[in-house]
Amino acid sequence: MKIPDTPIFSSPLRRITVDLDPLTDVGRESEGCEELGLPRDYRDRVWDAVERWYRTGTQPFVSLCVRKQGSMVIHRSLGHRHGTWSKNGMGADGEVGSIDTPITVFSASKALTALLIHGLAEEGVLNLDERVAHYLPAFAANGKASITISQVLSHQGGFPVMPKGLPPETIFDYERVVDILMASPLQRPPGRGTAYHAVSGGYILGALANTVTGKSLNQILRKRVCVPLGLPTLRYGAPLNGQSRVATNYNTGGVHRWPVSSLIERTLGADWNTVVELSNQPGFLSTTVPAGNAIGTASEWGLLMELLLNQGRIGDVQVFAPDTLRRVTQFKAGSILDGTLFVPSRFSEGLMLGANPVSLFGPMTKDALGHLGFINIFCWADPSRDLSVALLSTGKSLFGLHLAELMRVLFAINRAPRAR
C-alpha cells in the first residue's frame, strides 16, 4: 500500500489562527533525516501535519517524540498545558507547555503495566500461565477460578467492564476497587475471544504485583525502569506537590448520542465528560489506576516504546531480558469483533498490535505494537521501520472533521520507509 503525501481525506476545518512559534518547544533533534534513511523533508512534513491538527481547535496541547535507530528525529511540543479552553481556543490565562510537560496517557498505561508484570515473570515471582487465584485466592469467587494471568493481559479474562452502579469517583479508592473486582461475577467465558478490559484488568494485575512483591507498582516501576533509564517523570499518578505540572485534559468534542453514549458508559464506567473531568481531579492523580493514570513526557514514552525494538535494551542498559520482550510482543489473541469495543482487535499479552492495510497506528503497520490511550494518545514501536513514537495530546474528541488531520499526522509519521 503506497502511503500518499496527502491523505485520502481532507478537511476545511481551521479554528486556531494565531502564530504557533511562541507555543512551540523544540528539544534536541538529529541534524538530518537522510542519514537515518528518512525522506529529507520528513521532519517538516510530520510537524506540518501536527500543526494542522492543532489548528482544528481540538488539541490544546500536543507533544511528539519520534525516534529512528535510537536517534531523536522529532522532539517537540505545541500548545498550552493549562488554561480556560473554548471552541475559540485557549483563553488569556493559558500556560504554554513544553517538551518536559507530563501528560496522562490513560489506556496506554496498560503497556507499562504489562511490561512490569512480564518483568516479574522474568524474575520468577509470577508465572503468566498460572491462575490468578493461585496468588489471589479471593479472586476465585463467582466463577473466576480458572482465569489465568495471561488471559487478563490479553483481554480474555472474562470480566471486561466494571460492575454497574459504582459512582465514578470509586476509582479514587484503589483498595476498594480491587475488593469489588475480587468479589464480582464472571461476565463471559474466559479465553473465548477478546473483550477489551478498559479498567478492570489493570487493577487485578496491580494487585498481583503488590501481593507477590509487597511493593506498589510505582516502587516496582522506579526500580525496574525509571532509575536504570533515567526517567524522572514516568509513574502512575502524581504526588500532590507535582500535580500542577501535569497537563490538563479537555473535552473538545460534541455531545455523544445513543448508541455511542451507551458504549462509552459501558466501557469506561461513566459518560465522556465525567471521565475527562475526573482525570483532572487530585483524587485521580493521587491514586494508582494501573490501566489508566500513568503519566510521563513524550520522550519518556518514546523511550519505553524503543525497548520493544531492542529486545529490552537501551544503550548499555538491559532493562528486560530478550526472552521477556519476545513474549510480550507476540500475538496472543484477536477477534473479528471485540466483545467490548465492537471493532476488530489484535493483542499480545499486554499490547495492541497493528495490521495491514491500516490500523490505529496508521497505514501499513502490521508489525507495529504499543497502545492507544483515550482517543488521541498513540504510543507504538514499528520494528519494520525501526521507529518508536509517542504522540501525546490533551484534547478528547471522538468524532469530527479533525480526524482527517489526525490521519494526516499518522500518514506522515509512517512515511518512514519499511525495511521489510
Side-chain angles (χ1 to χ4, degrees), residues 9-150:
F9 304 103
S10 62
S11 169
L13 180 62
R14 292 289 182 275
R15 291 178 180 166
I16 307 300
T17 59
V18 299
D19 180 11
L20 300 186
D21 286 347
L23 307 180
T24 304
D25 187 32
V26 181
R28 182 178 297 178
E29 299 175 337
S30 57
E31 291 188 9
C33 294
E34 290 178 292
E35 294 84 353
L36 298 172
L38 295 168
R40 180 185 302 177
D41 62 348
Y42 180 82
R43 183 183 294 127
D44 293 338
R45 294 291 288 274
V46 171
W47 195 247
D48 175 70
V50 171
E51 290 183 333
R52 291 171 65 104
W53 187 36
Y54 176 82
R55 288 190 185 279
T56 64
T58 61
Q59 299 307 315
F61 183 65
V62 179
S63 191
L64 174 64
C65 176
V66 178
R67 284 182 169 89
K68 169 78 171 178
Q69 298 174 9
S71 295
M72 193 82 76
V73 180
I74 303 173
H75 188 200
R76 303 183 182 187
S77 67
L78 172 62
H80 298 83
R81 63 176 186 168
H82 301 306
T84 303
W85 183 260
S86 72
K87 65 180 181 179
N88 298 315
M90 187 63 70
D93 60 343
E95 299 177 23
V96 176
S98 74
I99 56 174
D100 296 322
T101 297
I103 296 175
T104 306
V105 300
F106 295 94
S107 282
S109 308
K110 295 178 178 65
L112 179 59
T113 300
L115 282 170
L116 297 181
I117 294 296
H118 280 267
L120 294 178
E122 176 186 312
E123 295 170 10
V125 296
L126 278 180
N127 179 349
L128 300 182
D129 299 312
E130 181 60 87
R131 295 173 301 109
V132 173
H134 175 77
Y135 304 98
L136 302 173
F139 184 73
N142 291 315
K144 304 192 301 298
S146 68
I147 299 171
T148 67
I149 299 173
S150 174

